[in-house]
Each structure stands twice: as structure tokens, then as C-alpha cells.
PDB file of all heavy atoms in Angstrom:
ATOM      1  N   GLY A   1    -254.714  99.809  77.882  1.00 98.00           N
ATOM      2  CA  GLY A   1    -254.681  99.901  76.424  1.00 98.00           C
ATOM      3  C   GLY A   1    -253.804 101.061  75.996  1.00 98.00           C
ATOM      4  O   GLY A   1    -253.990 102.192  76.451  1.00 98.00           O
ATOM      5  N   TYR A   2    -252.845 100.800  75.119  1.00 98.00           N
ATOM      6  CA  TYR A   2    -251.864 101.831  74.786  1.00 98.00           C
ATOM      7  C   TYR A   2    -251.792 102.036  73.273  1.00 98.00           C
ATOM      8  O   TYR A   2    -250.798 101.732  72.625  1.00 98.00           O
ATOM      9  CB  TYR A   2    -250.495 101.465  75.354  1.00 98.00           C
ATOM     10  CG  TYR A   2    -249.504 102.607  75.345  1.00 98.00           C
ATOM     11  CD1 TYR A   2    -249.638 103.677  76.217  1.00 98.00           C
ATOM     12  CD2 TYR A   2    -248.428 102.614  74.458  1.00 98.00           C
ATOM     13  CE1 TYR A   2    -248.733 104.730  76.217  1.00 98.00           C
ATOM     14  CE2 TYR A   2    -247.519 103.652  74.449  1.00 98.00           C
ATOM     15  CZ  TYR A   2    -247.672 104.712  75.323  1.00 98.00           C
ATOM     16  OH  TYR A   2    -246.784 105.758  75.310  1.00 98.00           O
ATOM     17  N   GLY A   3    -252.900 102.551  72.709  1.00 95.00           N
ATOM     18  CA  GLY A   3    -252.917 102.977  71.320  1.00 95.00           C
ATOM     19  C   GLY A   3    -252.881 104.491  71.263  1.00 95.00           C
ATOM     20  O   GLY A   3    -252.279 105.148  72.111  1.00 95.00           O
ATOM     21  N   ASN A   4    -253.562 105.067  70.264  1.00 92.00           N
ATOM     22  CA  ASN A   4    -253.575 106.523  70.120  1.00 92.00           C
ATOM     23  C   ASN A   4    -254.144 107.215  71.356  1.00 92.00           C
ATOM     24  O   ASN A   4    -253.602 108.209  71.835  1.00 92.00           O
ATOM     25  CB  ASN A   4    -254.396 106.922  68.895  1.00 92.00           C
ATOM     26  CG  ASN A   4    -253.716 106.558  67.595  1.00 92.00           C
ATOM     27  OD1 ASN A   4    -252.488 106.591  67.495  1.00 92.00           O
ATOM     28  ND2 ASN A   4    -254.496 106.202  66.586  1.00 92.00           N
ATOM     29  N   LEU A   5    -255.260 106.682  71.869  1.00 96.00           N
ATOM     30  CA  LEU A   5    -255.873 107.299  73.039  1.00 96.00           C
ATOM     31  C   LEU A   5    -255.003 107.120  74.275  1.00 96.00           C
ATOM     32  O   LEU A   5    -254.830 108.048  75.074  1.00 96.00           O
ATOM     33  CB  LEU A   5    -257.265 106.718  73.278  1.00 96.00           C
ATOM     34  CG  LEU A   5    -258.061 107.326  74.437  1.00 96.00           C
ATOM     35  CD1 LEU A   5    -258.236 108.832  74.251  1.00 96.00           C
ATOM     36  CD2 LEU A   5    -259.419 106.641  74.576  1.00 96.00           C
ATOM     37  N   GLY A   6    -254.433 105.942  74.450  1.00 98.00           N
ATOM     38  CA  GLY A   6    -253.568 105.699  75.596  1.00 98.00           C
ATOM     39  C   GLY A   6    -252.367 106.627  75.619  1.00 98.00           C
ATOM     40  O   GLY A   6    -251.984 107.155  76.676  1.00 98.00           O
ATOM     41  N   ARG A   7    -251.771 106.848  74.449  1.00 98.00           N
ATOM     42  CA  ARG A   7    -250.640 107.785  74.378  1.00 98.00           C
ATOM     43  C   ARG A   7    -251.101 109.207  74.695  1.00 98.00           C
ATOM     44  O   ARG A   7    -250.376 109.981  75.331  1.00 98.00           O
ATOM     45  CB  ARG A   7    -249.995 107.715  72.994  1.00 98.00           C
ATOM     46  CG  ARG A   7    -249.148 106.460  72.789  1.00 98.00           C
ATOM     47  CD  ARG A   7    -248.395 106.495  71.481  1.00 98.00           C
ATOM     48  NE  ARG A   7    -249.284 106.291  70.346  1.00 98.00           N
ATOM     49  CZ  ARG A   7    -249.595 105.102  69.837  1.00 98.00           C
ATOM     50  NH1 ARG A   7    -249.095 104.006  70.397  1.00 98.00           N
ATOM     51  NH2 ARG A   7    -250.406 104.988  68.806  1.00 98.00           N
ATOM     52  N   GLY A   8    -252.320 109.548  74.249  1.00 98.00           N
ATOM     53  CA  GLY A   8    -252.863 110.864  74.588  1.00 98.00           C
ATOM     54  C   GLY A   8    -253.086 111.025  76.081  1.00 98.00           C
ATOM     55  O   GLY A   8    -252.830 112.095  76.653  1.00 98.00           O
ATOM     56  N   ILE A   9    -253.568 109.965  76.737  1.00 98.00           N
ATOM     57  CA  ILE A   9    -253.755 110.001  78.190  1.00 98.00           C
ATOM     58  C   ILE A   9    -252.419 110.223  78.887  1.00 98.00           C
ATOM     59  O   ILE A   9    -252.300 111.038  79.811  1.00 98.00           O
ATOM     60  CB  ILE A   9    -254.395 108.685  78.687  1.00 98.00           C
ATOM     61  CG1 ILE A   9    -255.803 108.480  78.097  1.00 98.00           C
ATOM     62  CG2 ILE A   9    -254.414 108.641  80.209  1.00 98.00           C
ATOM     63  CD1 ILE A   9    -256.839 109.453  78.571  1.00 98.00           C
ATOM     64  N   GLU A  10    -251.400 109.511  78.442  1.00 98.00           N
ATOM     65  CA  GLU A  10    -250.082 109.657  79.045  1.00 98.00           C
ATOM     66  C   GLU A  10    -249.594 111.100  78.942  1.00 98.00           C
ATOM     67  O   GLU A  10    -249.072 111.674  79.911  1.00 98.00           O
ATOM     68  CB  GLU A  10    -249.092 108.709  78.362  1.00 98.00           C
ATOM     69  CG  GLU A  10    -247.701 108.747  78.963  1.00 98.00           C
ATOM     70  CD  GLU A  10    -246.717 107.878  78.214  1.00 98.00           C
ATOM     71  OE1 GLU A  10    -246.987 107.516  77.045  1.00 98.00           O
ATOM     72  OE2 GLU A  10    -245.655 107.575  78.791  1.00 98.00           O
ATOM     73  N   ALA A  11    -249.780 111.710  77.774  1.00 98.00           N
ATOM     74  CA  ALA A  11    -249.353 113.102  77.586  1.00 98.00           C
ATOM     75  C   ALA A  11    -250.171 114.049  78.463  1.00 98.00           C
ATOM     76  O   ALA A  11    -249.631 115.001  79.043  1.00 98.00           O
ATOM     77  CB  ALA A  11    -249.487 113.488  76.114  1.00 98.00           C
ATOM     78  N   ALA A  12    -251.484 113.801  78.578  1.00 98.00           N
ATOM     79  CA  ALA A  12    -252.350 114.679  79.369  1.00 98.00           C
ATOM     80  C   ALA A  12    -252.000 114.624  80.852  1.00 98.00           C
ATOM     81  O   ALA A  12    -252.061 115.644  81.555  1.00 98.00           O
ATOM     82  CB  ALA A  12    -253.815 114.307  79.155  1.00 98.00           C
ATOM     83  N   ILE A  13    -251.640 113.452  81.350  1.00 98.00           N
ATOM     84  CA  ILE A  13    -251.269 113.315  82.759  1.00 98.00           C
ATOM     85  C   ILE A  13    -250.086 114.218  83.085  1.00 98.00           C
ATOM     86  O   ILE A  13    -250.014 114.826  84.160  1.00 98.00           O
ATOM     87  CB  ILE A  13    -250.963 111.845  83.093  1.00 98.00           C
ATOM     88  CG1 ILE A  13    -252.255 111.008  83.059  1.00 98.00           C
ATOM     89  CG2 ILE A  13    -250.292 111.716  84.460  1.00 98.00           C
ATOM     90  CD1 ILE A  13    -252.013 109.516  83.150  1.00 98.00           C
ATOM     91  N   ARG A  14    -249.154 114.355  82.138  1.00 97.00           N
ATOM     92  CA  ARG A  14    -247.971 115.192  82.351  1.00 97.00           C
ATOM     93  C   ARG A  14    -248.343 116.666  82.540  1.00 97.00           C
ATOM     94  O   ARG A  14    -247.571 117.438  83.101  1.00 97.00           O
ATOM     95  CB  ARG A  14    -247.014 115.051  81.161  1.00 97.00           C
ATOM     96  CG  ARG A  14    -246.362 113.675  81.066  1.00 97.00           C
ATOM     97  CD  ARG A  14    -245.641 113.506  79.743  1.00 97.00           C
ATOM     98  NE  ARG A  14    -244.512 114.414  79.612  1.00 97.00           N
ATOM     99  CZ  ARG A  14    -243.276 114.139  80.012  1.00 97.00           C
ATOM    100  NH1 ARG A  14    -243.018 112.973  80.595  1.00 97.00           N
ATOM    101  NH2 ARG A  14    -242.301 114.993  79.822  1.00 97.00           N
ATOM    102  N   GLN A  15    -249.509 117.073  82.070  1.00 98.00           N
ATOM    103  CA  GLN A  15    -249.936 118.471  82.188  1.00 98.00           C
ATOM    104  C   GLN A  15    -250.787 118.712  83.438  1.00 98.00           C
ATOM    105  O   GLN A  15    -251.278 119.820  83.634  1.00 98.00           O
ATOM    106  CB  GLN A  15    -250.716 118.883  80.931  1.00 98.00           C
ATOM    107  CG  GLN A  15    -249.879 118.839  79.665  1.00 98.00           C
ATOM    108  CD  GLN A  15    -250.649 119.275  78.437  1.00 98.00           C
ATOM    109  OE1 GLN A  15    -251.866 119.335  78.439  1.00 98.00           O
ATOM    110  NE2 GLN A  15    -249.919 119.585  77.380  1.00 98.00           N
ATOM    111  N   ASN A  16    -250.964 117.691  84.251  1.00 98.00           N
ATOM    112  CA  ASN A  16    -251.765 117.801  85.467  1.00 98.00           C
ATOM    113  C   ASN A  16    -250.904 117.438  86.669  1.00 98.00           C
ATOM    114  O   ASN A  16    -250.719 116.249  86.971  1.00 98.00           O
ATOM    115  CB  ASN A  16    -252.988 116.883  85.377  1.00 98.00           C
ATOM    116  CG  ASN A  16    -254.014 117.386  84.381  1.00 98.00           C
ATOM    117  OD1 ASN A  16    -254.903 118.148  84.729  1.00 98.00           O
ATOM    118  ND2 ASN A  16    -253.886 116.964  83.117  1.00 98.00           N
ATOM    119  N   PRO A  17    -250.374 118.432  87.385  1.00 97.00           N
ATOM    120  CA  PRO A  17    -249.427 118.166  88.474  1.00 97.00           C
ATOM    121  C   PRO A  17    -249.980 117.347  89.623  1.00 97.00           C
ATOM    122  O   PRO A  17    -249.209 116.777  90.397  1.00 97.00           O
ATOM    123  CB  PRO A  17    -249.055 119.578  88.956  1.00 97.00           C
ATOM    124  CG  PRO A  17    -249.350 120.480  87.801  1.00 97.00           C
ATOM    125  CD  PRO A  17    -250.540 119.876  87.120  1.00 97.00           C
ATOM    126  N   ASP A  18    -251.312 117.276  89.743  1.00 98.00           N
ATOM    127  CA  ASP A  18    -251.891 116.495  90.837  1.00 98.00           C
ATOM    128  C   ASP A  18    -252.097 115.039  90.455  1.00 98.00           C
ATOM    129  O   ASP A  18    -252.719 114.280  91.197  1.00 98.00           O
ATOM    130  CB  ASP A  18    -253.222 117.108  91.299  1.00 98.00           C
ATOM    131  CG  ASP A  18    -254.281 117.111  90.209  1.00 98.00           C
ATOM    132  OD1 ASP A  18    -253.916 117.138  89.009  1.00 98.00           O
ATOM    133  OD2 ASP A  18    -255.486 117.086  90.548  1.00 98.00           O
ATOM    134  N   MET A  19    -251.554 114.628  89.297  1.00 98.00           N
ATOM    135  CA  MET A  19    -251.719 113.251  88.830  1.00 98.00           C
ATOM    136  C   MET A  19    -250.373 112.636  88.482  1.00 98.00           C
ATOM    137  O   MET A  19    -249.429 113.336  88.125  1.00 98.00           O
ATOM    138  CB  MET A  19    -252.616 113.213  87.594  1.00 98.00           C
ATOM    139  CG  MET A  19    -254.044 113.644  87.849  1.00 98.00           C
ATOM    140  SD  MET A  19    -255.041 113.437  86.361  1.00 98.00           S
ATOM    141  CE  MET A  19    -256.681 113.554  87.076  1.00 98.00           C
ATOM    142  N   GLU A  20    -250.318 111.307  88.579  1.00 98.00           N
ATOM    143  CA  GLU A  20    -249.126 110.589  88.145  1.00 98.00           C
ATOM    144  C   GLU A  20    -249.539 109.294  87.459  1.00 98.00           C
ATOM    145  O   GLU A  20    -250.538 108.670  87.841  1.00 98.00           O
ATOM    146  CB  GLU A  20    -248.218 110.286  89.331  1.00 98.00           C
ATOM    147  CG  GLU A  20    -248.843 109.393  90.396  1.00 98.00           C
ATOM    148  CD  GLU A  20    -247.878 109.060  91.522  1.00 98.00           C
ATOM    149  OE1 GLU A  20    -246.897 108.338  91.242  1.00 98.00           O
ATOM    150  OE2 GLU A  20    -248.109 109.502  92.653  1.00 98.00           O
ATOM    151  N   LEU A  21    -248.785 108.913  86.447  1.00 98.00           N
ATOM    152  CA  LEU A  21    -249.028 107.649  85.771  1.00 98.00           C
ATOM    153  C   LEU A  21    -248.430 106.534  86.605  1.00 98.00           C
ATOM    154  O   LEU A  21    -247.222 106.507  86.860  1.00 98.00           O
ATOM    155  CB  LEU A  21    -248.416 107.667  84.368  1.00 98.00           C
ATOM    156  CG  LEU A  21    -248.579 106.386  83.547  1.00 98.00           C
ATOM    157  CD1 LEU A  21    -250.061 106.044  83.336  1.00 98.00           C
ATOM    158  CD2 LEU A  21    -247.877 106.528  82.190  1.00 98.00           C
ATOM    159  N   ALA A  22    -249.292 105.601  87.029  1.00 98.00           N
ATOM    160  CA  ALA A  22    -248.832 104.512  87.891  1.00 98.00           C
ATOM    161  C   ALA A  22    -248.429 103.271  87.104  1.00 98.00           C
ATOM    162  O   ALA A  22    -247.463 102.586  87.464  1.00 98.00           O
ATOM    163  CB  ALA A  22    -249.929 104.142  88.890  1.00 98.00           C
ATOM    164  N   ALA A  23    -249.182 102.968  86.022  1.00 98.00           N
ATOM    165  CA  ALA A  23    -248.886 101.762  85.254  1.00 98.00           C
ATOM    166  C   ALA A  23    -249.667 101.787  83.950  1.00 98.00           C
ATOM    167  O   ALA A  23    -250.713 102.438  83.838  1.00 98.00           O
ATOM    168  CB  ALA A  23    -249.247 100.503  86.045  1.00 98.00           C
ATOM    169  N   VAL A  24    -249.158 101.057  82.976  1.00 98.00           N
ATOM    170  CA  VAL A  24    -249.840 100.850  81.699  1.00 98.00           C
ATOM    171  C   VAL A  24    -250.092  99.356  81.555  1.00 98.00           C
ATOM    172  O   VAL A  24    -249.208  98.532  81.855  1.00 98.00           O
ATOM    173  CB  VAL A  24    -248.992 101.369  80.520  1.00 98.00           C
ATOM    174  CG1 VAL A  24    -249.604 100.956  79.184  1.00 98.00           C
ATOM    175  CG2 VAL A  24    -248.844 102.887  80.588  1.00 98.00           C
ATOM    176  N   PHE A  25    -251.296  98.994  81.091  1.00 98.00           N
ATOM    177  CA  PHE A  25    -251.661  97.601  80.893  1.00 98.00           C
ATOM    178  C   PHE A  25    -251.970  97.376  79.417  1.00 98.00           C
ATOM    179  O   PHE A  25    -252.657  98.181  78.780  1.00 98.00           O
ATOM    180  CB  PHE A  25    -252.876  97.239  81.755  1.00 98.00           C
ATOM    181  CG  PHE A  25    -252.615  97.366  83.223  1.00 98.00           C
ATOM    182  CD1 PHE A  25    -252.800  98.579  83.874  1.00 98.00           C
ATOM    183  CD2 PHE A  25    -252.145  96.286  83.953  1.00 98.00           C
ATOM    184  CE1 PHE A  25    -252.535  98.717  85.224  1.00 98.00           C
ATOM    185  CE2 PHE A  25    -251.873  96.407  85.309  1.00 98.00           C
ATOM    186  CZ  PHE A  25    -252.068  97.625  85.951  1.00 98.00           C
ATOM    187  N   THR A  26    -251.451  96.281  78.871  1.00 98.00           N
ATOM    188  CA  THR A  26    -251.577  96.017  77.448  1.00 98.00           C
ATOM    189  C   THR A  26    -251.852  94.546  77.208  1.00 98.00           C
ATOM    190  O   THR A  26    -251.460  93.684  78.007  1.00 98.00           O
ATOM    191  CB  THR A  26    -250.287  96.430  76.710  1.00 98.00           C
ATOM    192  OG1 THR A  26    -250.409  96.123  75.311  1.00 98.00           O
ATOM    193  CG2 THR A  26    -249.076  95.694  77.272  1.00 98.00           C
ATOM    194  N   ARG A  27    -252.560  94.269  76.086  1.00 97.00           N
ATOM    195  CA  ARG A  27    -252.764  92.882  75.683  1.00 97.00           C
ATOM    196  C   ARG A  27    -251.587  92.355  74.875  1.00 97.00           C
ATOM    197  O   ARG A  27    -251.501  91.162  74.594  1.00 97.00           O
ATOM    198  CB  ARG A  27    -254.064  92.758  74.879  1.00 97.00           C
ATOM    199  CG  ARG A  27    -255.304  92.942  75.729  1.00 97.00           C
ATOM    200  CD  ARG A  27    -256.585  92.859  74.931  1.00 97.00           C
ATOM    201  NE  ARG A  27    -256.749  93.982  74.024  1.00 97.00           N
ATOM    202  CZ  ARG A  27    -257.900  94.309  73.435  1.00 97.00           C
ATOM    203  NH1 ARG A  27    -258.979  93.582  73.655  1.00 97.00           N
ATOM    204  NH2 ARG A  27    -257.977  95.335  72.632  1.00 97.00           N
ATOM    205  N   ARG A  28    -250.693  93.248  74.488  1.00 98.00           N
ATOM    206  CA  ARG A  28    -249.481  92.843  73.783  1.00 98.00           C
ATOM    207  C   ARG A  28    -248.431  92.352  74.779  1.00 98.00           C
ATOM    208  O   ARG A  28    -248.612  92.465  75.995  1.00 98.00           O
ATOM    209  CB  ARG A  28    -248.915  94.031  72.987  1.00 98.00           C
ATOM    210  CG  ARG A  28    -249.771  94.434  71.799  1.00 98.00           C
ATOM    211  CD  ARG A  28    -249.232  95.694  71.140  1.00 98.00           C
ATOM    212  NE  ARG A  28    -249.668  96.908  71.817  1.00 98.00           N
ATOM    213  CZ  ARG A  28    -249.169  98.117  71.573  1.00 98.00           C
ATOM    214  NH1 ARG A  28    -248.201  98.259  70.691  1.00 98.00           N
ATOM    215  NH2 ARG A  28    -249.643  99.172  72.228  1.00 98.00           N
ATOM    216  N   ALA A  29    -247.344  91.828  74.274  1.00 98.00           N
ATOM    217  CA  ALA A  29    -246.239  91.461  75.159  1.00 98.00           C
ATOM    218  C   ALA A  29    -245.687  92.748  75.775  1.00 98.00           C
ATOM    219  O   ALA A  29    -245.267  93.652  75.041  1.00 98.00           O
ATOM    220  CB  ALA A  29    -245.152  90.732  74.377  1.00 98.00           C
ATOM    221  N   PRO A  30    -245.700  92.880  77.110  1.00 98.00           N
ATOM    222  CA  PRO A  30    -245.306  94.147  77.730  1.00 98.00           C
ATOM    223  C   PRO A  30    -243.929  94.651  77.314  1.00 98.00           C
ATOM    224  O   PRO A  30    -243.715  95.858  77.179  1.00 98.00           O
ATOM    225  CB  PRO A  30    -245.345  93.823  79.223  1.00 98.00           C
ATOM    226  CG  PRO A  30    -246.344  92.715  79.342  1.00 98.00           C
ATOM    227  CD  PRO A  30    -246.164  91.894  78.100  1.00 98.00           C
TER     228      PRO A  30
END
């Protein structure tokens, strides 16, 4: 899910060096 919270998660991952964003899943057309 990539709404307000999803975008916040993406930003937070960037501040945690031990984590990486692997994929985003959406009900919209990707």
C-alpha cells in the first residue's frame, strides 16, 4: 500500500542503514 503511510515508510527506511526497500505492492496499476 503506497499512500501517506507507505511514503512515510519509504522515507524512514532511508534513515536506517541496516534496512533496504525491496518492493512496493499496490492495488493500483503499478
Side-chain angles (χ1 to χ4, degrees):
Y2 194 72
N4 290 326
L5 183 58
R7 285 187 287 271
I9 297 292
E10 182 184 19
I13 290 170
R14 291 169 65 89
Q15 297 181 344
N16 289 270
D18 62 333
M19 295 184 164
E20 62 177 293
L21 179 60
V24 171
F25 297 87
T26 178
R27 289 178 292 196
R28 291 174 277 169

